[in-house]
């Protein structure tokens, strides 16, 4: 707490912002993260006056802060009209958000979601904490400021659990009661916003705790098309999924935390596939990218098939990998068959390059393309995958016997 001034002003960009002389405050998550010792990827400012002019003035100023100016060079300027915000995206990934201060700083902070985010900092004044946010941060509590703030922006109902997932903190009983009371209003939020907030929840390490809590409070049934019973069953299997991921060989773990689509990591995607299993994807209030939707459809279809027949037997494995394609990795993880990952790697190599090329098969058979050629290519690769063909000579002999 005593070092917050040193940390804030030690940031050269903050110093440069304050040097412009306007009434400008740092607010929100940056201060929260500073208090808990976490590095923040963005800084929010509220400014009295024209925020576009202020941002342009910041970029144009060259007299002070050479280090800060270097960081600001090449920044992209984005105007978010819905949020009435100007955003500067720096080359290093840091974002600076500028919002116009309407009314007093008390009004601004009083309209925020949680006490831990209702913080402001001003040179000469220091930390402005009107709702005991610092105290709640110290006690690891997620506490709503008022029910009206949730009515004004129902996405905050889901955000409460996203913060549970991110920090592992406790959502106060009164805050959870607000969610229970207003849960149906989440449907008023745009599907795109719900999706990104839900994906953030899935990306963080305490997601299982957050999922169970939000499910118990009846929030998910308001935007996910899945029965409560099925959802609980899916959530119960999450620890097994995480254990399976933990046991992955290092070469498979290396990419699992990388972004897949819509800011969802591959790890988060596996969690999404598990949570939504048995749901009606077209009826969920989620705006999914095409690649995520197709991945879910394919994985869920094969998982459902696996409940009725052994699609992972040596006899069926090649066909399973063929149908799964890019979803094959997900399928093995979600079904607990990580022991087959080595065979999946073999499948990928064979499918990319088998004993005979398509051109060589056409030369031998006289085929110019079409379904017959496709079947021969598939059969040849399958025989190679199963170890029945090991050399090019064996492949040619098999092809002549099979087709000619």
């Amino acid at each position: 707490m005593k070092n917050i001034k040193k940390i804030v002003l030690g940031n050269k960009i903050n110093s440069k912002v304050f040097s412009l002389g306007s009434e400008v405050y740092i607010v929100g998550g940056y201060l929260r993260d500073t208090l808990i010792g976490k590095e923040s990827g963005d800084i929010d400012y509220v400014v009295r006056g024209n925020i576009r002019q202020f941002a342009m003035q910041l970029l144009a100023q060259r007299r002070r802060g050479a280090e800060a100016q270097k960081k600001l060079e090449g920044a992209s300027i984005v105007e978010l009209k819905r949020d009435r915000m100007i955003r500067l995206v720096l080359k290093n990934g840091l974002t600076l958000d500028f919002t116009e201060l309407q009314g007093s700083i008390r009004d601004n902070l009083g309209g925020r979601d949680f006490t831990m985010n209702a913080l402001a900092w001003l040179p000469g004044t220091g930390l402005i904490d009107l709702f005991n946010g610092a105290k709640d941060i110290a006690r690891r509590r997620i506490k709503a400021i008022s029910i009206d703030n949730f009515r004004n922006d129902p996405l905050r109902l889901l955000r409460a659990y996203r913060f549970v997932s991110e920090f592992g903190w406790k959502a106060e009983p009164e805050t959870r009661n607000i969610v229970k009371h207003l849960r149906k209003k989440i449907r008023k939020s745009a599907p795109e916003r719900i999706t990104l907030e839900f994906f953030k929840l899935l990306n963080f390490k305490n997601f299982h705790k957050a999922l169970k809590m939000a499910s118990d409070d009846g929030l998910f049934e308001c935007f996910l098309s899945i029965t409560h019973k099925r959802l609980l069953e899916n959530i119960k299997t999450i620890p097994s999924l995480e254990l399976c991921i933990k046991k992955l060989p290092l070469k498979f773990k290396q990419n699992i935390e990388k972004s897949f689509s819509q800011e969802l990591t591959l790890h988060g995607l596996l969690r999404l596939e598990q949570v939504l299993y048995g749901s009606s994807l077209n009826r969920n209030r989620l705006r999914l990218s095409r690649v995520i939707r197709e991945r879910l459809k394919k994985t869920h279809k094969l998982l459902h098939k696996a409940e009725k027949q052994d699609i992972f037997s040596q006899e069926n494995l090649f066909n399973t990998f063929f149908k799964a394609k890019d979803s094959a990795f997900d399928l093995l993880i979600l079904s607990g068959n990580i022991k087959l990952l080595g065979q999946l790697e073999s499948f990928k190599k064979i499918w990319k390059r088998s004993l005979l090329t398509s051109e060589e098969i056409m030369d031998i058979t006289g085929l110019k393309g079409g379904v017959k050629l496709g079947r021969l290519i598939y059969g040849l690769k399958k025989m190679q995958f199963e170890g029945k063909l090991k050399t090019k000579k064996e492949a040619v002999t098999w092809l002549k016997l099979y087709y000619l």
Side-chain angles (χ1 to χ4, degrees), residues 84-267:
R84 299 178 181 178
M85 177 191 297
I86 296 293
R87 172 170 292 171
L88 300 183
V89 182
L90 309 191
K91 287 183 177 180
N92 62 3
L94 181 69
T95 61
L96 312 178
D97 291 338
F98 299 89
T99 307
E100 186 176 348
L101 179 61
Q102 302 284 346
S104 67
I105 190 63
R106 173 179 283 276
D107 295 332
N108 181 282
L109 298 180
R112 293 179 177 268
D113 48 12
F114 306 102
T115 59
M116 64 182 186
N117 294 327
L119 302 169
W121 197 88
L122 182 70
T125 302
L127 185 67
I128 302 171
D129 182 8
L130 305 175
F131 300 94
N132 295 314
K135 184 177 180 181
D136 288 330
I137 290 171
R139 294 184 177 181
R140 300 167 61 88
R141 298 190 305 192
I142 299 168
K143 184 178 180 181
I145 291 178
S146 79
I147 190 170
D148 288 337
N149 292 355
F150 280 68
R151 286 195 181 101
N152 294 336
D153 185 1
L155 188 69
R156 291 168 173 175
L157 299 166
L158 179 57
R159 189 169 295 151
Y161 304 100
R162 189 258 284 182
F163 282 128
V164 170
S165 179
E166 183 174 357
F167 298 123
W169 297 358
K170 177 184 177 182
E172 284 285 90
E174 186 177 341
T175 299
R176 294 182 66 179
N177 286 335
I178 290 175
V179 175
K180 292 173 187 177
H181 181 66
L182 299 179
R183 64 184 186 278
K184 291 183 180 180
K185 292 189 179 295
I186 188 72
R187 296 168 184 161
K188 293 184 178 181
S189 297
E192 293 84 359
R193 296 184 71 210
I194 294 175
T195 302
L196 291 180
E197 200 69 41
F198 188 48
F199 284 3
K200 287 177 183 179
L201 185 157
L202 292 172
N203 279 339
F204 290 117
K205 65 178 181 178
N206 298 291
F207 80 103
H208 184 237
K209 176 181 179 180
L211 284 175
K212 190 175 185 308
M213 193 178 293
S215 177
D216 290 343
D217 294 343
L219 182 62
F220 288 145
E221 64 190 45
C222 297
F223 67 89
L224 297 179
S225 181
I226 187 171
T227 65
H228 185 67
K229 180 181 179 182
R230 182 76 213 207
L231 181 60
L232 285 180
E233 290 175 355
N234 292 347
I235 291 175
K236 284 181 181 178
T237 63
I238 289 294
S240 297
L241 169 65
E242 294 301 299
L243 182 61
C244 197
I245 292 172
K246 190 176 181 179
K247 291 181 178 179
L248 283 174
L250 182 60
K251 66 177 181 179
F252 294 106
K253 280 185 179 178
Q254 289 175 343
N255 297 319
I256 206 158
E257 301 302 338
K258 291 184 179 179
S259 180
F260 178 79
S261 177
Q262 291 180 280
E263 299 181 28
L264 187 68
T265 63
L266 178 55
H267 198 162

Side-chain angles (χ1 to χ4, degrees), residues 54-72:
F54 185 88
M56 297 305 293
Q57 184 183 358
L58 176 67
L59 293 177
Q61 189 190 43
R62 296 184 180 277
R63 293 180 181 177
R64 301 181 187 176
E67 182 181 338
Q69 189 61 43
K70 187 175 181 180
K71 291 180 180 179
L72 289 167

Side-chain angles (χ1 to χ4, degrees), residues 224-326:
L224 297 179
S225 181
I226 187 171
T227 65
H228 185 67
K229 180 181 179 182
R230 182 76 213 207
L231 181 60
L232 285 180
E233 290 175 355
N234 292 347
I235 291 175
K236 284 181 181 178
T237 63
I238 289 294
S240 297
L241 169 65
E242 294 301 299
L243 182 61
C244 197
I245 292 172
K246 190 176 181 179
K247 291 181 178 179
L248 283 174
L250 182 60
K251 66 177 181 179
F252 294 106
K253 280 185 179 178
Q254 289 175 343
N255 297 319
I256 206 158
E257 301 302 338
K258 291 184 179 179
S259 180
F260 178 79
S261 177
Q262 291 180 280
E263 299 181 28
L264 187 68
T265 63
L266 178 55
H267 198 162
L269 174 66
L270 292 168
R271 293 165 175 173
L272 180 69
E273 289 169 323
Q274 183 65 41
V275 170
L276 294 187
Y277 183 56
S279 73
S280 177
L281 294 180
N282 293 328
R283 295 174 62 189
N284 289 324
R285 286 186 60 80
L286 298 175
R287 187 75 76 223
L288 304 176
S289 66
R290 183 189 60 80
V291 65
I292 289 179
R293 182 176 293 277
E294 290 305 311
R295 193 95 160 206
L296 285 166
K297 284 182 178 179
K298 200 170 291 183
T299 303
H300 287 175
K301 183 178 179 179
L302 289 169
L303 284 173
H304 182 68
K305 188 176 181 180
E307 293 177 355
K308 300 178 179 179
Q309 65 184 83
D310 186 5
I311 66 172
F312 299 109
S313 67
Q314 287 303 307
E315 181 182 358
N316 296 324
L317 193 56
F318 182 86
N319 190 51
T320 297
F321 289 156
F322 174 75
K323 288 184 175 179
K325 294 185 171 60
D326 290 339

Side-chain angles (χ1 to χ4, degrees), residues 324-350:
K325 294 185 171 60
D326 290 339
S327 301
F329 175 79
D330 308 27
L331 182 64
L332 293 183
I333 301 300
L334 293 165
S335 63
N337 283 291
I338 59 173
K339 61 184 178 181
L340 298 177
L341 285 171
Q343 293 193 63
L344 174 59
E345 291 295 289
S346 297
F347 170 84
K348 289 179 178 179
K349 291 178 182 178
I350 291 170

